[in-house]
Amino acid sequence: MGTTLVLGLGGTVDYEVRWDAEVIGALAVQYGIRRAELTTMAPIVDERSLVVTILAFVLDGAGGERFVESSEVVKQFADRFTTEITLGGTGVRAGIALDRLGIPSVQHLVSIDDHVRRLMPASISWVSSATGDTLDPHLIVQYPPGTVIRFDDGEIVSPSSNRLIFANDPPNRSMAIAPELGDALTEARAFLVSGFNTMQDEALLERRLTDLDAALEHLPADALVYYEDAGFYVRRFAERIWAHLLRRIDVYGMNEDELQEYVDRPVDLLDPADVAAALLAAHRLIPVPALLVHTQHWAIAVGPAAAGHRDAVASAVQMAATRFRLGDGFTASDFEATALLSRSARGEDVVEGVERMITGAAGVPAFRIDTATPTTIGLGDSFVGGFLVVHAPVPEPQP
């Protein structure tokens, strides 16, 4: 078995804005935005349409990721707020979570700049397909529960907290595969694949998947392949992923937003029967050994290999909860302390119900955490990092 964790496929530089409902409300008034025009599906071509989309998500208490016509829109909006520059991308944030526990990883990157060089933890090495420095930041908007935004024809109140991602990132849309990836995979215990969701050129996607197929030939047969869905900009592209990778994927992860897109209906996340029906429908569509769905209430895996991943799912839930309550700055002892917290009673009910209804299902309820400053950014990424903790190489004993 290999000795490394390889995480990919693309990293990002994130502009995390500090939420300010007054600034958002003032922009809504400035642009004459009306409640009736709020939608999450219209093209984002300028700052006005960006604000319309943010307000629509807040109204529903939903999270999501959307394409922006220009990175300048992202920069213009971020300049209005206190903004922290961080590193993102599923692989990078999963690697940062692993770093908090002293676990090293190898990243596959498609872009590089001084922010990446400065902020990447020392335990993380990388291979990169970038041929020069570029900066195309992702805007990360995290809003709290109960936030009130007032504008000309009324107000909206968020029913829950969530996070939004807006970006125009050419390197991640191109997703060039580094020639060195195959060599990196030779010693891999586990390989995380994510990021194809941002691609918009089907012919280019097909070429990148062919390149990835070639790299996967170097992966040990007993290595785990974890695929994180992450919400496709062009939903039908998921079928190209399945055509190339389903035969090799061991665990296929997604959140509740992606689950509901695949089953094409709302899912009551606190109704065990509705959840079970949705999980079975999604697994029929994506017949992998373990289909894993993670939500704010529970994480449940279904499929013939699901039960074998119970410890990894528990570690994943613990990692996401630790980030939720403490952000990026947690320690290994903070991670251990999370395990002592109480669980969501309603989440426990769903897990117990689904496990009764679906043979072999393996679920873990979320922790019950009360904090005035929740971190909703990167929870799914940290969840993946927590899952991979169980697959990390055991350090050699020191003489």
Side-chain angles (χ1 to χ4, degrees), residues 289-290 300-310 354-363:
I300 301 174
V302 297
H309 296 294
R310 186 180 297 276
V354 170
E355 290 185 342
R356 282 196 307 270
M357 289 179 244
I358 302 178
T359 301

Side-chain angles (χ1 to χ4, degrees), residues 112-124:
I112 191 81
D113 77 332
D114 285 341
H115 292 306
V116 176
R117 298 184 185 97
R118 174 175 58 90
L119 296 172
M120 193 75 81
S123 72
I124 298 177

Side-chain angles (χ1 to χ4, degrees), residues 90 94 163 226 228 255 294 320 376-385:
T90 297
R163 68 94 183 97
Y226 186 116
E228 182 70 11
N255 65 21
H294 45 91
T376 56
I377 300 166
L379 293 184
D381 308 332
S382 297
F383 178 94
V384 175

Side-chain angles (χ1 to χ4, degrees), residues 183-256:
D183 290 340
L185 291 178
T186 301
E187 294 298 325
R189 289 176 67 95
F191 179 35
L192 166 65
V193 181
S194 189
F196 284 125
N197 60 301
T198 64
M199 295 190 69
Q200 297 176 321
D201 182 321
E202 190 164 8
L204 183 58
L205 172 62
E206 190 68 24
R207 292 203 297 274
R208 299 310 189 218
L209 286 166
T210 299
D211 292 341
L212 183 60
D213 289 339
L216 281 168
E217 293 297 321
H218 297 264
L219 187 70
D222 58 355
L224 176 101
V225 176
Y226 186 116
Y227 183 88
E228 182 70 11
D229 188 273
F232 279 80
Y233 286 17
V234 184
R235 175 54 64 186
R236 62 184 173 83
F237 283 11
E239 297 174 10
R240 305 311 313 145
I241 303 295
W242 303 340
H244 281 263
L245 298 180
L246 276 192
R247 60 182 174 77
R248 193 61 181 86
I249 292 171
D250 298 293
V251 180
Y252 193 112
M254 67 179 71
N255 65 21
E256 66 266 32

